[in-house]
Amino acid sequence: MGVTKIENFTKSQNHLAMVAKALGHPARIAILEHLLKLNSCICGDLVEVLPLSQATVSQHLKALKEAKLIKGNIEGTSVCYCIDADTWKYSKQMLNQMFDKYHDNSCC
Amino acid sequence: MGVTKIENFTKSQNHLAMVAKALGHPARIAILEHLLKLNSCICGDLVEVLPLSQATVSQHLKALKEAKLIKGNIEGTSVCYCIDADTWKYSKQMLNQMFDKYHDNSCC
DNA sequence: AATATTAATCGTAATATTGCAATAAACAGA
DNA sequence: TCTGTTTATTGCAATATTACGATTAATATT
């Protein structure tokens, strides 16, 4: 079916999965790293940094925007992208919460 | 084409993306949470906990195993799953490294 | 040996993702 | 207004994912 049974899982499980899914492509990781590196908004030079066409980059940006990991502000002809602070912090916290639950006592 | 251009990205970008992709489904988050909750190996009662068929759960377990987030040990007729400590710690570190790079100075 | 239990795999259908060329939309400057 | 610049969208093809029933494989139990 290829369609996830979202309704059977908790809100937080779905949120974590949604964020993780958005992070689940090297191009999108690269986009975020670029945003973090410049430590400010960037305006469109992403296409030159990435080994992908403009259309494809735009699609990946859309995916990140849909997961609310980034925001895009229109500035004249170009668009200014930056990390969405709220989702970023929340996701960081959720991920840490999960990753911290493990305490090295595996039986296998 | 539906095929990711992995070769154009760095090793660490691909690793992060691979782990994130494995986390990118609520069922797989639920599986990991269950493993963390029991804090030990569980064998197959996952199928009863999750709202999915045995075949589907097995598929999700395979995805987590392929990302090396979990390990599976055969124990008689059943299989014992647990978190893979190495990948877990490494991924946690990589994710934190990325998430910590953001310092609240958004211009938009 | 025959049967039951458990988990993986196969086959299949529906849907999603990835990628790009082509086009559209929105705006700036001449 | 016309032209260039920048980003989004559309349309399409190739491949991947999700889900499940049916089957297989491996080991226990009787």
Side-chain angles (χ1 to χ4, degrees):
Chain A
M1 328 220 148
V3 64
T4 300
K5 286 179 146 190
I6 279 175
E7 66 280 7
N8 294 306
F9 299 96
T10 69
K11 205 170 170 181
S12 88
Q13 285 169 342
N14 280 313
H15 175 82
L16 250 185
M18 202 188 67
V19 169
K21 197 174 181 180
L23 296 177
H25 193 289
R28 294 196 288 270
I29 296 287
I31 289 173
L32 291 171
E33 284 182 349
H34 195 67
L35 281 172
L36 291 164
K37 192 177 165 191
L38 298 192
N39 218 346
S40 73
C41 295
I42 55 126
C43 309
D45 44 308
L46 271 169
V47 177
E48 285 160 46
V49 177
L50 296 174
L52 295 168
S53 76
Q54 184 267 321
T56 306
V57 172
S58 188
Q59 219 170 235
H60 283 303
L61 286 166
K62 193 181 175 188
L64 288 169
K65 266 187 283 181
E66 273 167 3
K68 302 209 182 188
L69 281 167
I70 65 173
K71 287 191 284 190
N73 277 41
I74 298 165
E75 276 191 3
T77 336
S78 58
V79 177
C80 169
Y81 292 105
C82 62
I83 303 288
D84 184 318
D86 290 342
T87 313
W88 194 260
K89 287 175 198 163
Y90 184 64
S91 303
K92 177 181 166 177
Q93 195 198 324
M94 296 291 281
L95 278 165
N96 270 326
Q97 215 167 81
M98 186 177 74
F99 272 90
D100 285 344
K101 265 182 196 145
Y102 176 66
H103 300 104
D104 225 325
N105 47 358
S106 41
C107 52
C108 40
Chain B
M1 330 224 149
V3 63
T4 298
K5 286 178 144 190
I6 279 175
E7 65 281 7
N8 294 305
F9 299 98
T10 69
K11 207 170 172 180
S12 88
Q13 285 169 341
N14 280 313
H15 175 82
L16 251 186
M18 202 189 68
V19 170
K21 195 173 183 181
L23 297 176
H25 192 290
R28 294 195 288 269
I29 296 286
I31 288 173
L32 290 172
E33 285 181 349
H34 196 68
L35 282 173
L36 290 164
K37 192 176 164 189
L38 299 192
N39 221 344
S40 71
C41 296
I42 56 129
C43 314
D45 42 307
L46 270 170
V47 178
E48 284 160 49
V49 176
L50 295 175
L52 295 167
S53 76
Q54 184 266 321
T56 305
V57 172
S58 188
Q59 223 171 230
H60 283 303
L61 286 167
K62 193 182 175 187
L64 289 169
K65 264 187 287 180
E66 273 167 2
K68 302 210 180 185
L69 282 167
I70 64 173
K71 286 190 284 188
N73 276 45
I74 298 165
E75 275 189 5
T77 336
S78 56
V79 176
C80 168
Y81 290 106
C82 62
I83 303 288
D84 183 317
D86 291 341
T87 313
W88 195 260
K89 288 176 198 164
Y90 185 61
S91 304
K92 178 181 166 176
Q93 197 199 321
M94 296 291 281
L95 278 165
N96 270 326
Q97 217 167 79
M98 186 177 74
F99 272 90
D100 285 345
K101 267 184 197 144
Y102 177 66
H103 300 104
D104 223 328
N105 46 358
S106 42
C107 51
C108 42

